[in-house]
Amino acid sequence: MLDQGAAPPATEPTVPRATVLSALTRRKPVEALVEEGGKGEGGSLRRSLSMWQLTMISIGATLGTGIFVVLGEAVPEAGPAVTLAFVFAGLTALFSALSYAELAGTIPVAGSSYSYAYATMGELVAWVCGWCLLLEYGVSIAAVAVGWGDYLNELLDGTLGVTLPTALSAPPGDGGIFNLPALIVVLLAMVFLLGGAKESARANTIMVAVKIGALVLFCAIGFMGFKSGNYSDFMPLGPGSVGAAGAILFFSYIGFDAASTAGEEAKNPKRDLPRAIMLSLVIVTALYVLVSAVAVGAWDWKKFAGSEATLAAIMNDVTGQSFWGTLLAAGAVISIASVVLTVLYGQTRILFAMSRDGLVPKVFGKVHVKTGTPRVNTVIVSVFCGLLAAVVPLGELVNATSIGTLFAFALVNVAVVVLRYTRRDMERSFRVPFGPLFPALGFLFCGYSMYTLDLVTWKVFGGWMAVGLVFYFLYGMRRSRLASAEK
């Protein structure tokens, strides 16, 4: 029996528990995102990248397999109109790039569109966006690595007269057993990244210079074999073929957002990130249109079907000598390796940001004190992507990458509008012109490009998203730092 004069038993404070809906829509304050920039488990990232290096990261991540390899898959879809398909894909990328530029200058953090979504649309949408980015970057690394192997064989054939056996240079679906070159190039990129962001950026800048030089060389030689008759039937497969090829070629523009993943390692992110994103997209689009126009002018479009190392083959045909094709193959080997390097960099930084928020295991957020890099994160991602490249055919990887990227880009276009209306007070170093019109166009272009992708790609995407949602509800939602703060 209780003593009448005793104080009533202590009760737990009545703190309202978060409902499922509030948990899914909880947002991370922009100020918190910016304040914890660079901080990881056991160390911090280092601010060492200039605007020029950020631009080279963006070009390095974009300019590569899309023009050296995927061109051979896109031309049979659109014929000579592939040049328009590049413009269409570039326009889709441009609207999204404008949105990226505004958000990167406003929220200069490592998580790219994942972090932008977290600040504007809530945790579930952020997770979906981050999961799409993992598909975009991770599968893109594998796809690029597969293309690297094709040009390595071309180089070996032109210099030593030997090629790697199909069993060791192609995945099971393409007649091989294990694509060893694809695994090797990913592991080489891993070694560079483990040395530090600044050192990796220097190596990437050199490789970007080589790849631009190789493409300019191709245009100079390819133009000598230019035949105007190859353009006599400009759109042989109809207007719809331009959109279909554009969806494939959108893979060629994946990577311009890589600069935004370096937000916590840039010296002056608010000023330099928007400039780097826009400048890189202009340079890449100009090169793509020029190279594709010369390629179709030099070769009948029907010859592209089933071709590998397409640009090198065109140079051999035009000159009648294998030397120039071999030289281009050498440039392609170096330049495609830079794509692997920079995209792998972006993938690790996105996982770093998600780990810091508690949505993926802490191991991805650990930073090595000496090098200022997420070492364990880099090794895990590299080994996974390398093995994926070794066993999955290029075509399947390209389509899966494109749909994941388009979805993430669509969310970025929404995020920039949401932030405009919810945080009008924020300082913006860059603003998308014409208010919500351009982000709306970016969203629609992304949606249309996704619509043109085939059913198999949508099934792969649906399966990937299902796995991601299961992981989020079983792990991420419970381990989220915002969830811990609510308890």
Side-chain angles (χ1 to χ4, degrees):
M1 188 171 179
L2 291 173
D3 184 353
Q4 297 294 326
T11 59
E12 294 183 3
T14 56
V15 178
R17 289 186 176 275
T19 65
V20 173
L21 180 60
S22 66
L24 299 181
T25 57
R26 57 194 171 208
R27 301 176 184 179
K28 188 171 184 180
V30 175
E31 291 78 10
L33 280 167
V34 176
E35 182 184 352
E36 65 186 20
K39 299 176 183 177
E41 290 284 328
S44 298
L45 303 178
R46 296 173 183 172
R47 293 197 177 276
S48 59
L49 303 178
S50 66
M51 194 276 282
W52 178 248
Q53 288 173 317
L54 292 170
T55 304
M56 291 299 102
I57 287 174
S58 193
I59 294 176
T62 310
L63 191 63
T65 303
I67 193 66
F68 283 106
V69 179
V70 179
L71 180 65
E73 297 188 9
V75 173
E77 294 287 334
V82 71
T83 51
L84 285 183
F86 267 114
V87 173
F88 176 80
L91 198 58
T92 303
L94 172 62
F95 289 125
S96 297
L98 290 168
S99 294
Y100 262 102
E102 177 169 328
L103 291 172
T106 309
I107 315 173
V109 292
S112 186
S113 51
Y114 153 76
S115 295
Y116 310 152
Y118 212 164
T120 57
M121 291 177 282
E123 187 170 283
L124 178 61
V125 177
W127 169 262
V128 169
C129 187
W131 195 246
C132 285
L133 288 175
L134 296 185
L135 179 66
E136 170 195 346
Y137 280 83
V139 180
S140 177
I141 293 165
V144 171
V146 172
W148 186 80
D150 293 337
Y151 275 97
L152 179 63
N153 258 337
E154 185 77 16
L155 177 60
L156 291 174
D157 185 38
T159 54
L160 302 177
V162 299
T163 57
L164 295 172
T166 302
L168 294 178
S169 60
D174 283 347
I177 298 175
F178 192 84
N179 193 331
L180 183 61
L183 175 61
I184 290 173
V185 71
V186 176
L187 295 181
L188 286 174
M190 177 190 75
V191 172
F192 275 106
L193 289 177
L194 291 176
K198 188 175 183 179
E199 291 73 13
S200 301
R202 287 173 178 169
N204 174 65
T205 299
I206 295 171
M207 289 189 280
V208 168
V210 170
K211 78 169 71 180
I212 292 177
L215 291 175
V216 170
L217 175 66
F218 167 80
C219 291
I221 292 178
F223 192 75
M224 294 189 299
F226 194 91
K227 302 180 184 68
S228 59
N230 288 342
Y231 280 95
S232 58
D233 187 6
F234 184 67
M235 207 174 288
L237 303 174
S241 64
V242 174
I248 294 173
L249 289 174
F250 188 78
F251 175 82
S252 307
Y253 289 90
I254 293 171
F256 73 80
D257 56 321
S260 67
T261 67
E264 296 175 24
E265 290 161 284
K267 292 179 180 177
N268 190 344
K270 284 184 173 290
R271 182 196 67 188
D272 293 343
L273 287 177
R275 294 180 181 182
I277 290 171
M278 298 310 302
L279 180 59
S280 64
L281 188 62
V282 169
I283 293 172
V284 166
T285 302
L287 282 170
Y288 280 166
V289 173
L290 180 62
V291 170
S292 61
V294 171
V296 175
W299 245 20
D300 183 274
W301 70 273
K302 295 176 183 177
K303 293 177 66 175
F304 284 80
S307 65
E308 295 180 352
T310 306
L311 300 187
I314 291 174
M315 290 183 76
N316 288 339
D317 271 7
V318 169
T319 62
Q321 301 175 5
S322 61
F323 169 77
W324 295 105
T326 302
L327 187 61
L328 182 77
V333 166
I334 295 172
S335 63
I336 294 176
S338 78
V339 181
V340 177
L341 175 67
T342 49
V343 175
L344 186 61
Y345 167 85
Q347 170 75 295
T348 59
R349 270 45 179 186
I350 289 166
L351 276 168
F352 170 80
M354 296 177 75
S355 173
R356 187 170 55 198
D357 292 333
L359 300 184
V360 298
K362 289 184 178 181
V363 66
F364 292 101
K366 290 184 177 179
V367 177
H368 192 267
V369 177
K370 184 177 180 180
T371 62
T373 60
R375 275 194 170 184
V376 179
N377 176 348
T378 302
V379 171
I380 293 173
V381 172
S382 300
V383 172
F384 174 80
C385 292
L387 292 175
L388 186 67
V391 298
V392 181
L394 176 64
E396 298 299 325
L397 292 171
V398 169
N399 289 337
T401 304
S402 293
I403 194 169
T405 307
L406 286 164
F407 192 85
F409 283 10
L411 291 179
V412 168
N413 286 296
V414 175
V416 75
V417 175
V418 171
L419 197 64
R420 282 273 190 100
Y421 285 96
T422 58
R423 293 299 304 274
R424 298 174 185 269
D425 59 309
M426 291 194 67
E427 179 185 350
R428 290 166 170 82
S429 58
F430 175 85
R431 296 178 70 90
V432 179
F434 301 106
L437 176 60
F438 276 12
L441 288 173
F443 180 85
L444 292 173
F445 269 75
C446 289
Y448 175 75
S449 296
M450 290 178 69
Y451 172 76
T452 62
L453 292 171
D454 57 39
L455 183 60
V456 173
T457 302
W458 275 97
K459 288 181 178 179
V460 171
F461 180 66
W464 175 257
M465 293 309 303
V467 171
L469 289 173
V470 169
F471 186 90
Y472 171 72
F473 284 110
L474 293 181
Y475 183 93
M477 188 170 70
R478 300 172 185 271
R479 301 292 186 97
S480 165
R481 286 183 60 192
L482 290 186
S484 300
E486 291 173 350
K487 293 180 181 178

